[in-house]
Amino acid sequence: MSRQVDSYISKLLDGQGLEGDENDFCDFTIADQNSVAESQGITPTTPSNFKPVLGGNVTYVVACVIINDREELLLMQEAKESCAGKWYLPAGRMEKGETIEQAAAREVLEETGLHFKADTLLVVETAGGTWFRFVLTGKIIGGELKTPAKADKESLQAKWIFNLQEISLRANDILHLIDKAKLYKQSHPGVSWHKNILPAPVPHVKDLMRLIVLIKKRSTNRLHVLLSEKTTLHFPTCEINPAKSMHSTLRRFMVEMFGADVAQHRPLGLLNVEADPSADGCCLSLLVVFRPPLEEVPLIGKCAWHELSEDIHKELLPIVFSKNSTIELHVVR
């Protein structure tokens, strides 16, 4: 089992997906979450059999932050009546049958006239458990920049912009994403930044959050990872509750495993994203780290700590202590 756990973590660190029934098992379903709420006298608002339907009860959005070698940012001018003339990143909703990368390439082409090839995910933003924005960066590999003469319902035109003060943005929610992309462009992926990671083509019927929970054992100074012992050993996984924020769902799941007095811990970011157009769900693998040592963190759920190999321990340490070593998970309030 030790080699298998190490292999799974290596795959996640490379942005690969985890396949197999043991990696699709859910420890804390919405039905379980509803039972906990009812035991506390709270009436749940989400049906226990909730299933994400793209374009119905969940929305997946892509946004592309593309910076050229002259440090200019690719922006499009909105054609929609509500924000006509304002500028924004090439972005839009995913459509049925598309991968995240395909949706990104389509939106860039429709709104700017240029062909886009994604290099990596930069940020995943969530609002509640029903809206997800996948933010990518990459390169332009062809096409012709859209001019006002080619204006259509998708956009009025597109431009490479160096000074954002010269234009009027549709919204300031993209400023953080632009700053992130600029830092990425100045970095070296895999050294001062996470490796280039694109969504792994693994289908999921539900929206899931897989936890990679790390802790250090004081007596050995070695990292351990949390495994669920329900049915078969696997990384603890819960359904993303559409009525709650990701932080709220994470908190409830941690309490389920560690009790109401769960020790100090923090989510560092995502190791990978799994999504495939053959199903409408996705899985976000979230890295979580405890501050206290293993000896001071009791477990109450059906879980156990597993000591990682020295090689995986050495690979994970810089990720735990470095900034921008994971894909940012931004929970929009």
Side-chain angles (χ1 to χ4, degrees):
M1 186 63 200
S2 178
R3 285 185 181 177
Q4 191 174 34
V5 172
D6 287 356
S7 171
Y8 285 158
I9 289 182
S10 289
K11 283 186 173 182
L12 291 175
L13 293 177
D14 286 335
Q16 298 178 45
L18 299 186
E19 301 186 63
D21 292 342
E22 70 274 18
N23 291 308
D24 205 33
F25 189 83
C26 187
D27 301 281
F28 197 40
T29 64
I30 288 175
D32 296 331
Q33 296 171 43
N34 285 347
S35 295
V36 171
E38 287 168 348
S39 71
Q40 298 169 343
I42 302 168
T43 303
T45 57
T46 302
S48 293
N49 63 349
F50 177 85
K51 183 179 174 182
V53 177
L54 182 62
N57 54 18
V58 295
T59 301
Y60 300 149
V61 175
V62 292
C64 303
V65 195
I66 307 164
I67 300 171
N68 65 19
D69 292 337
R70 296 186 296 277
E71 302 299 320
E72 295 169 324
L73 175 70
L74 182 62
L75 294 176
M76 50 78 73
Q77 192 172 33
E78 295 281 10
K80 292 190 289 282
E81 189 176 343
S82 60
C83 52
K86 303 284 188 179
W87 293 83
Y88 206 65
L89 294 174
R93 296 185 180 194
M94 282 179 60
E95 298 175 356
K96 285 273 191 182
E98 285 186 316
T99 66
I100 293 171
E101 290 170 75
Q102 288 168 345
R106 174 182 54 77
E107 288 292 345
V108 173
L109 180 60
E110 290 175 350
E111 296 181 348
T112 73
L114 301 177
H115 297 287
F116 170 68
K117 187 178 187 306
D119 285 336
T120 188
L121 281 162
L122 279 181
V123 182
V124 175
E125 298 181 300
T126 67
T130 60
W131 184 90
F132 299 80
R133 181 158 69 176
F134 301 99
V135 184
L136 303 101
T137 190
K139 305 180 188 71
I140 295 302
I141 56 173
E144 190 174 322
L145 194 66
K146 182 184 279 190
T147 62
K150 295 183 179 180
D152 55 21
K153 63 183 179 63
E154 301 294 342
S155 66
L156 299 179
Q157 63 174 318
K159 278 186 178 181
W160 291 101
I161 304 290
F162 181 78
N163 184 3
L164 293 180
Q165 304 302 319
E166 296 175 356
I167 57 168
S168 178
L169 291 175
R170 186 186 96 190
N172 289 330
D173 64 330
I174 61 173
L175 293 177
H176 165 67
L177 309 179
I178 295 167
D179 289 341
K180 192 87 174 178
K182 287 179 178 178
L183 286 172
Y184 164 81
K185 195 163 178 64
Q186 296 163 5
S187 74
H188 301 283
V191 181
S192 57
W193 204 274
H194 60 75
K195 296 176 183 176
N196 282 347
I197 293 173
L198 291 169
V202 179
H204 292 277
V205 175
K206 301 292 187 78
D207 283 330
L208 302 174
M209 176 165 52
R210 176 192 293 135
L211 298 188
I212 312 302
V213 184
L214 299 180
I215 197 167
K216 190 178 279 190
K217 191 171 185 178
R218 181 190 288 134
S219 60
T220 61
N221 206 34
R222 180 69 68 81
L223 284 175
H224 287 58
V225 67
L226 189 68
L227 296 179
S228 170
E229 296 180 315
K230 288 185 179 179
T231 308
T232 181
L233 287 174
H234 59 275
F235 298 122
T237 304
C238 75
E239 254 185 276
I240 295 172
N241 194 314
K244 306 290 181 184
S245 74
M246 289 282 283
H247 285 159
S248 175
T249 298
L250 173 62
R251 169 70 187 175
R252 287 164 182 255
F253 191 26
M254 294 295 283
V255 166
E256 187 74 8
M257 295 185 289
F258 295 96
D261 296 325
V262 56
Q264 187 177 356
H265 60 278
R266 63 190 179 103
L268 295 185
L270 300 175
L271 293 181
N272 88 332
V273 171
E274 297 172 4
D276 185 86
S278 62
D280 284 353
C282 67
C283 181
L284 310 180
S285 297
L286 180 64
L287 183 63
V288 178
V289 177
F290 271 101
R291 185 168 185 176
L294 180 150
E295 289 88 344
E296 296 176 13
V297 180
L299 287 163
I300 65 167
K302 292 182 179 178
C303 295
W305 292 112
H306 171 84
E307 183 175 314
L308 294 169
S309 70
E310 187 174 355
D311 287 344
I312 295 296
H313 169 91
K314 287 179 179 177
E315 193 171 357
L316 280 169
L317 272 183
I319 293 172
V320 170
F321 292 109
S322 302
K323 198 174 181 181
N324 299 317
S325 58
T326 58
I327 300 164
E328 180 185 344
L329 176 63
H330 181 214
V331 179
V332 180
R333 299 183 184 279

